[in-house]
Amino acid sequence: MKERFKKPQNSFEISPGMKGFFVTSVRGREKKCALETIDLLEEYAAKLYPNLEQEIVMDGADGKDDESPQAESNDIEDEIAREVATMKSEKTPKLFRYLPTTIDCLVYIKCYKKIDPERLVQFIFADMSKTKQRKTRFTGRLIPAKVTTTSKLDAIVRGAKEVARNLLAEDAEPTTFALVVNIRYCDDLKRDEVIPAVAAPLDTKHKVDLKNARYTLVIEAFKSMCTIGLVENYNALKRLNLQTLFDEKETPKPKVPEPQSQEPNDDGLPLDSNGTPKNELTG
């Protein structure tokens, strides 16, 4: 459990080539958000990839990817203690790792290379939409990061083409699409430049539908990095927001008037709902 959060909070280790999940959280609860989100991902990954951990152990890996940055420590005693603790503990594969973004309310969770973030997110929301069981408290949007690249325009366009390659295939059936572009702390990147550049290849075959698109390309740029993921039925899944997934507009129930008593009183007049004699002339 502690290995998930052994990095300093102000470290930034997200790099191009990673894949995982871009997550929004309640302010000041980034670590708790990461913890509960990893628990959620592990629960559903076990269902979607039931033999993955066994395959990792068989391959002699521990869940770390080749591109994972190695921890640097100036404290030799601390490094030795960590290695000893690892040797003593049971070795279990780490499928998900928390990497701080150093931005309030934003979390990046890196996943093992054999996990498809888009598929896992769709699987989670499809199931939770049916069960209506809330499993998180501090997590907002859970966005798949199929591609993580730099926040340069040309890199984003290349990454978007990679993510949407099935839609760009020659035999792809015409469909509807939309773009969601959010930019944070990237002064050189303009939303008005990203949208037309990314949409251009898709416009040749598919139609834009901002309200009910079949596929939505979600682009999240923050500082020097950018994540890209393709989501099916994005709006129908409450924009992948775990806070609002279970919110339903309650239709007001029509007020049913209380039945009036028709039993006559001593004067022979029927009584109203308050027990007052009802005048037949005035009703």
Side-chain angles (χ1 to χ4, degrees):
M1 189 71 68
K2 293 182 179 179
E3 290 183 7
R4 295 172 177 170
F5 306 101
K6 65 183 179 182
K7 305 294 183 185
Q9 182 65 28
N10 60 353
S11 64
F12 189 86
E13 300 180 10
I14 306 169
S15 61
M18 293 181 177
K19 64 178 181 177
F21 307 87
F22 178 90
V23 188
T24 63
S25 75
V26 175
R27 185 181 299 275
R29 298 291 186 270
E30 289 81 7
K31 280 191 175 183
K32 290 185 177 180
C33 164
L35 178 61
E36 69 180 11
T37 302
I38 289 176
D39 288 340
L40 179 69
L41 293 171
E42 288 178 343
E43 175 185 345
Y44 281 93
K47 300 176 182 178
L48 193 60
Y49 304 96
N51 301 319
L52 182 56
E53 290 190 358
Q54 184 178 358
E55 291 176 7
I56 296 173
V57 174
M58 294 282 291
D59 292 340
D62 63 351
K64 294 181 180 179
D65 296 337
D66 294 337
E67 72 272 14
S68 299
Q70 298 297 320
E72 295 182 2
S73 176
N74 295 325
D75 191 338
I76 298 178
E77 292 183 358
D78 181 66
E79 188 68 24
I80 294 175
R82 186 180 300 120
E83 291 183 4
V84 171
T86 302
M87 292 173 62
K88 290 182 178 180
S89 63
E90 293 184 2
K91 195 172 184 179
T92 57
K94 299 296 186 296
L95 302 181
F96 305 97
R97 295 180 182 276
Y98 164 52
L99 299 179
T101 63
T102 69
I103 301 175
D104 289 347
C105 306
L106 299 184
V107 171
Y108 185 95
I109 296 176
K110 181 176 175 290
C111 71
Y112 185 61
K113 58 187 177 182
K114 291 186 178 180
I115 292 176
D116 184 343
E118 294 172 348
R119 185 184 175 198
L120 184 54
V121 166
Q122 296 281 173
F123 181 64
I124 291 173
F125 277 83
D127 182 72
M128 295 182 71
S129 296
K130 294 177 181 178
T131 62
K132 301 296 182 182
Q133 183 178 357
R134 191 182 296 272
K135 297 176 181 288
T136 58
R137 292 180 57 197
F138 308 107
T139 304
R141 296 168 65 231
L142 177 60
I143 307 298
K146 185 68 172 286
V147 165
T148 301
T149 184
T150 64
S151 56
K152 299 294 183 182
L153 181 59
D154 57 344
I156 294 174
V157 172
R158 287 195 303 271
K161 288 181 179 179
E162 179 181 347
V163 170
R165 63 182 179 275
N166 290 337
L167 296 179
L168 297 174
E170 293 183 2
D171 58 348
E173 293 291 334
T175 186
T176 55
F177 77 97
L179 300 181
V180 172
V181 180
N182 295 310
I183 301 174
R184 303 171 178 86
Y185 301 100
C186 299
D187 295 336
D188 297 332
L189 188 64
K190 305 301 179 184
R191 190 170 181 271
D192 293 340
E193 296 176 354
V194 174
I195 293 177
V198 172
L202 295 167
D203 276 335
T204 59
K205 179 174 290 190
H206 308 296
K207 183 179 179 181
V208 175
D209 186 344
L210 300 180
K211 293 183 178 180
N212 192 30
R214 174 74 182 278
Y215 296 99
T216 300
L217 202 60
V218 184
I219 299 173
E220 300 283 351
F222 56 101
K223 290 191 174 181
S224 61
M225 303 307 301
C226 180
T227 66
I228 307 171
L230 188 67
V231 182
E232 190 172 357
N233 300 322
Y234 179 73
N235 288 333
L237 295 177
K238 300 296 182 71
R239 301 171 66 87
L240 300 185
N241 193 324
L242 291 171
Q243 294 287 344
T244 61
L245 179 63
F246 309 105
D247 294 345
E248 295 181 359
K249 293 183 179 180
E250 295 183 358
T251 55
K253 296 181 180 179
K255 293 183 179 180
V256 180
E258 296 180 4
Q260 294 182 347
S261 173
Q262 297 299 320
E263 297 179 3
N265 69 342
D266 294 339
D267 296 329
L269 294 175
L271 301 177
D272 62 12
S273 60
N274 296 320
T276 304
K278 182 178 178 182
N279 191 322
E280 292 182 349
L281 297 178
T282 61

